[in-house]
Amino acid sequence: MAGLLPRLCCCRRGFRSPFPRPLAAATAPHSPQLRRAAAGGGGWPLRFSAAALVEAAPGPARPYLRLMRLDRPIGTWLLYLPCTWSIGLAAEPGCFPDWYMLSLFGAGAVLMRGAGCTINDMWDQEYDKKVTRTASRPIASGDISAFQALVFLGGQLSLALCVLLCLNYYSIGLGAASLSLVITYPLMKRITYWPQLVLGLTFNWGALLGWSAIKGSCDWSVCLPLYFSGVVWTLIYDTIYAHQDKRDDVVIGVKSTALRFKEDTKQWLSGFGGIMLMGLCVTGMNCDQTFPYYTAVAAVGAHLAHQGSILSDFFSALCCPMCSVCQLKRDINKRKEQGIF
C-alpha cells in the first residue's frame, strides 16, 4: 500500500513530488533498456518485472495481457491477499496454510483481476479516451475491439470457473455470488462518491471464500470482521490512488472518495485505519489467535502510522491542486447552467 504513494506523487504533470521515482520505472514498457534489448544490444535488465514480461510477449498477445493488467500486478496482489488471510486463519493450530488452496486462489486472483479489468475497460472505454493516463488502454486506443474484449472476457471467466469448481459446493455458490459486484463496480463511479467502497466489497470477497474453502462454510463471527477490515483497507489505498485522477474526474463527471473527502482526506483515512485494526483484533479474538497474530496486527498499525506521517506532507502539497479542482468544478457547473459546456 505504501508503494502506491511514490507512483501517485510522480504521476501528475506540474506536481513536484517529495518522494523518489519508483525503481520499477526502469523496467516499464518501452523503457530504454527494453528498446536496447529488442535491438539486440545491452541485454535484458537484471531485475525481473511483470512489465518486461509483457513487453517480451508476442505482439498479438501483448494488448490482451495489458487489458488484464498483467504488466501491473499490484492489483492481483491486492485481490489475492485477503484470500491468504482467511486461508491462514482457517488452518489448524500449529499447521501451515494449505499450499494447494493458496496456489488455487492465486490462479483465481490473476484470472478474476484480469476479468474485472476487462469489464471495467469495456464500460469505461469512452471515459478512458478523455483521460491522459487511461487513453492508451487497449480498448480505448483501438488495439482491441469491444467484441474481441468480450470473447477474451469469456475465456477468462471460463478458466476462473474451472478454478471455482475445484472447491466445495458452498464455496462455489459463494464465489458465484461475487460476479454481480465484479460486473457492476465500474458503474458506481457514475452514481456515487463511494465507488471505492464497492471496490472494497468486491476485492475482499476472498476473505469469505478462503475460509469456506478450508472449513466448508463461513464462520461469520470470524469472516465478517475480517472482510470488513479488508473493505476499509481498500478505502484507504484506493482513495490515495484516486487523487491522481480527481481533476479529470471533475471534467468528465465521475465521482470518487478523493473528491468526497477533499482536504479532509487524511482525517478520513486515519479513522479508516483505526477501524481496520479494530476489525482485525475482533477477528483474532473470535478464532482464538495468540501473540504472533497480534504482533502482526501491531506491525500493520505501525505501518499505517508511518504512512499517515507521509500523507501529512503529501496532502499538504495537494491543498492548492485541490482548490483548483473545486474552482474547475464551479466553472463547469456555471457553464452548464449557461448552456455553454
Side-chain angles (χ1 to χ4, degrees):
M1 181 161 52
L4 291 174
L5 288 175
R7 174 176 292 182
L8 174 59
C9 295
C10 295
C11 64
R12 303 307 286 160
R13 183 177 299 174
F15 177 75
R16 184 177 298 278
S17 169
F19 307 102
R21 294 182 66 83
L23 294 176
T27 54
H30 312 297
S31 68
Q33 294 94 326
L34 291 174
R35 287 198 295 269
R36 285 197 300 271
W44 289 102
L46 293 177
R47 268 174 53 93
F48 171 81
S49 75
L53 181 66
V54 170
E55 192 72 11
R62 215 172 293 157
Y64 293 95
L65 298 180
R66 289 194 293 111
L67 180 60
M68 64 186 299
R69 310 288 198 276
L70 204 63
D71 56 333
R72 299 180 180 182
I74 181 62
T76 302
W77 281 109
L78 294 173
L79 182 62
Y80 179 56
L81 285 174
C83 307
T84 67
W85 301 343
S86 57
I87 291 173
L89 289 172
E92 293 297 325
C95 297
F96 286 109
D98 188 320
W99 293 105
Y100 172 71
M101 284 296 174
L102 289 174
S103 302
L104 205 62
F105 274 74
V110 173
L111 291 167
M112 287 307 298
R113 194 269 177 132
C117 290
T118 303
I119 293 170
N120 181 81
D121 287 7
M122 291 173 70
W123 280 121
D124 287 354
Q125 54 184 300
E126 295 303 320
Y127 285 137
D128 287 345
K129 294 175 183 177
K130 302 173 183 177
V131 178
T132 303
R133 183 178 65 86
T134 60
S136 62
R137 287 178 176 174
I139 300 178
S141 64
D143 292 339
I144 295 176
S145 69
F147 178 75
Q148 288 172 319
L150 183 62
V151 172
F152 184 56
L153 173 62
Q156 291 176 92
L157 292 176
S158 297
L159 291 174
L161 178 61
C162 293
V163 173
L164 187 62
L165 292 176
C166 295
L167 307 180
N168 55 61
Y169 289 121
Y170 183 98
S171 299
I172 291 173
L174 185 63
S178 68
L179 194 58
S180 60
L181 287 170
V182 175
I183 294 172
T184 58
Y185 157 68
L187 300 175
M188 293 299 108
K189 65 175 75 74
R190 295 161 169 81
I191 61 177
T192 177
Y193 280 101
W194 293 86
Q196 281 72 23
L197 175 61
V198 183
L199 178 66
L201 296 172
T202 307
F203 254 51
N204 293 279
W205 201 261
L208 308 176
L209 194 57
W211 183 281
S212 70
I214 300 295
K215 297 291 191 180
S217 63
C218 284
D219 180 345
W220 296 109
S221 68
V222 175
C223 293
L224 280 183
L226 182 64
Y227 178 57
F228 187 63
S229 296
V231 171
V232 175
W233 179 49
T234 302
L235 277 167
I236 294 172
Y237 66 69
D238 208 56
T239 296
I240 296 170
Y241 190 72
H243 271 279
Q244 69 178 313
D245 288 334
K246 59 184 181 295
R247 186 176 180 86
D248 291 321
D249 288 346
V250 169
V251 172
I252 63 180
V254 298
K255 303 174 176 66
S256 72
T257 49
L259 293 175
R260 171 65 179 83
F261 299 157
K262 299 179 182 177
E263 66 274 7
D264 295 327
T265 296
K266 184 178 181 296
Q267 289 75 14
W268 278 92
L269 298 191
S270 297
F272 290 149
I275 294 171
M276 176 186 176
L277 295 175
M278 184 169 59
L280 292 175
C281 289
V282 172
T283 299
M285 289 186 291
N286 289 343
C287 62
D288 301 319
Q289 291 299 308
T290 55
F291 179 74
Y293 175 86
Y294 295 103
T295 301
V297 173
V300 171
H303 168 72
L304 291 174
H306 172 67
Q307 188 179 62
S309 66
I310 297 174
L311 290 174
S312 295
D313 295 333
F314 175 62
F315 286 116
S316 294
L318 278 178
C319 181
C320 290
M322 192 69 241
C323 293
S324 67
V325 168
C326 294
Q327 182 61 47
L328 176 65
K329 188 172 183 179
R330 287 193 291 269
D331 291 345
I332 290 174
N333 288 336
K334 184 177 180 180
R335 292 188 180 191
K336 285 181 178 179
E337 291 172 359
Q338 296 173 346
I340 299 173
F341 189 80

